[in-house]
Amino acid sequence: MNYLLLPLLSFFVGIIVGLTGIGGASLITPMLIFVFQVPPSVAVSSDVVAATLMKIVGSVKHYQQKTLDMQVVQWLAFGSVPGSLFGVGILHLIRRNGGSSLDYILLHLLGVMILLVTVLALLQLLLLTFFPKFTLPELPKFDLKTNLGRFLTMTIGAVLGCLVGLTSVSSGSMFALVLIGFFRLDARKLVGTDISQAAILLFFTSLGHLTLGTVNWSLVVPIWIGSVPGVLLGAKICQIAPQRPLRFIIYTILMMVSWKLVYQA
């Protein structure tokens, strides 16, 4: 393991995250697997713990700025936290009944999740670029003042939380689509709400992964050292960089990465 290369690459990943908003787990976990030959179970768990710090720092900032919707964060967390712990429980079950298959299963789950998130994001980007006047049918808006709205919010949170617990991917990307589609949050509160719910989700997911014994702190700390300043720098560059070409390039890379993950074994 090259512990100088890991923070350096994490720094560049952090820049991409700050610059484009694309989730770090979609980039860091495959990087650990392919570049550093880390077993998928260790890569997923270590990335979950590493990502938690960035999300918590970001959520505190947005809370201070009041650029988040606390009610949405609360009801999503009521579903996503138990959902993520259920996902970690599935990993415990797989490990107990056949530990050798855990890495194989995670490898394919990672590939499928990254591919799904990337395809959805790429379709959205292409529609906005080439068909700016095209409008999709609106999804129903969830009213958190009603029991039905709260139940649906918790249900979606639980499903996505389970997927995060299993793979570490989409704590931000898929939830962002939910926030846009079902809550109509404006741009000012979208990012803060997404980061804040992800911080809560990843905090409890991290605790679950710590019980698996697959967190490698010698990976977590270098990722922190590189990614945190990278995110801050990327956020600064974001003001002048062309977003759509950058996102298209990153989405194309992610599709190739997900394809390799699915068909590696």
Side-chain angles (χ1 to χ4, degrees):
M1 172 68 68
N2 188 329
Y3 291 105
L4 292 176
L5 183 60
L6 180 54
L8 179 63
L9 292 180
S10 298
F11 175 72
F12 286 113
V13 170
I15 291 175
I16 292 171
V17 174
L19 189 58
T20 66
I22 295 172
S26 301
L27 296 165
I28 289 180
T29 303
M31 178 185 77
L32 291 174
I33 294 170
F34 294 128
V35 178
F36 297 98
Q37 305 301 306
V38 176
S41 56
V42 176
V44 168
S45 295
S46 301
D47 189 27
V48 165
V49 175
T52 302
L53 178 63
M54 279 194 296
K55 299 290 186 180
I56 290 175
V57 170
S59 66
V60 169
K61 184 67 175 175
H62 281 283
Y63 179 77
Q64 292 171 340
Q65 295 174 171
K66 302 188 184 306
T67 48
L68 56 86
D69 189 318
M70 279 301 299
Q71 192 178 27
V72 175
V73 170
Q74 172 189 332
W75 287 104
L76 275 176
F78 283 153
S80 66
V81 169
S84 72
L85 296 178
F86 180 74
V88 175
I90 294 174
L91 295 181
H92 271 288
L93 190 64
I94 294 171
R95 192 171 190 185
R96 188 166 60 247
N97 294 337
S100 60
S101 64
L102 179 59
D103 286 335
Y104 175 84
I105 292 170
L106 277 178
L107 204 63
H108 287 75
L109 274 175
L110 273 169
V112 171
M113 278 300 298
I114 294 174
L115 184 63
L116 175 63
V117 172
T118 305
V119 167
L120 288 174
L122 188 58
L123 283 174
Q124 182 188 43
L125 180 65
L126 291 174
L127 284 173
L128 288 172
T129 303
F130 297 107
F131 306 98
K133 294 183 179 179
F134 180 77
T135 54
L136 292 169
E138 281 198 346
L139 295 169
K141 184 178 180 181
F142 290 171
D143 184 359
L144 292 177
K145 294 179 181 177
T146 67
N147 290 331
L148 177 61
R150 293 170 179 173
F151 172 76
L152 291 173
T153 301
M154 288 191 293
T155 300
I156 287 182
V159 172
L160 295 183
C162 181
L163 294 174
V164 172
L166 284 167
T167 66
S168 83
V169 175
S170 86
S171 67
S173 305
M174 292 294 283
F175 277 95
L177 294 176
V178 169
L179 293 173
I180 293 169
F182 294 108
F183 295 99
R184 317 281 200 274
L185 290 185
D186 59 44
R188 190 174 65 89
K189 287 193 173 183
L190 174 63
V191 175
T193 304
D194 193 23
I195 288 176
S196 299
Q197 67 79 25
I200 296 171
L201 169 58
L202 288 177
F203 176 77
F204 286 97
T205 306
S206 295
L207 297 179
H209 276 270
L210 286 169
T211 67
L212 280 168
T214 48
V215 175
N216 186 335
W217 288 99
S218 65
L219 298 174
V220 173
V221 174
I223 293 171
W224 278 344
I225 292 171
S227 61
V228 171
V231 167
L232 296 174
L233 178 59
K236 290 287 185 183
I237 302 173
C238 180
Q239 299 171 353
I240 58 171
Q243 282 290 301
R244 288 185 182 178
L246 277 172
R247 284 175 177 262
F248 183 78
I249 292 168
I250 300 300
Y251 290 146
T252 304
I253 293 171
L254 284 175
M255 288 191 72
M256 292 188 290
V257 167
S258 64
W259 192 263
K260 185 171 176 59
L261 281 166
V262 171
Y263 289 100
Q264 174 166 319

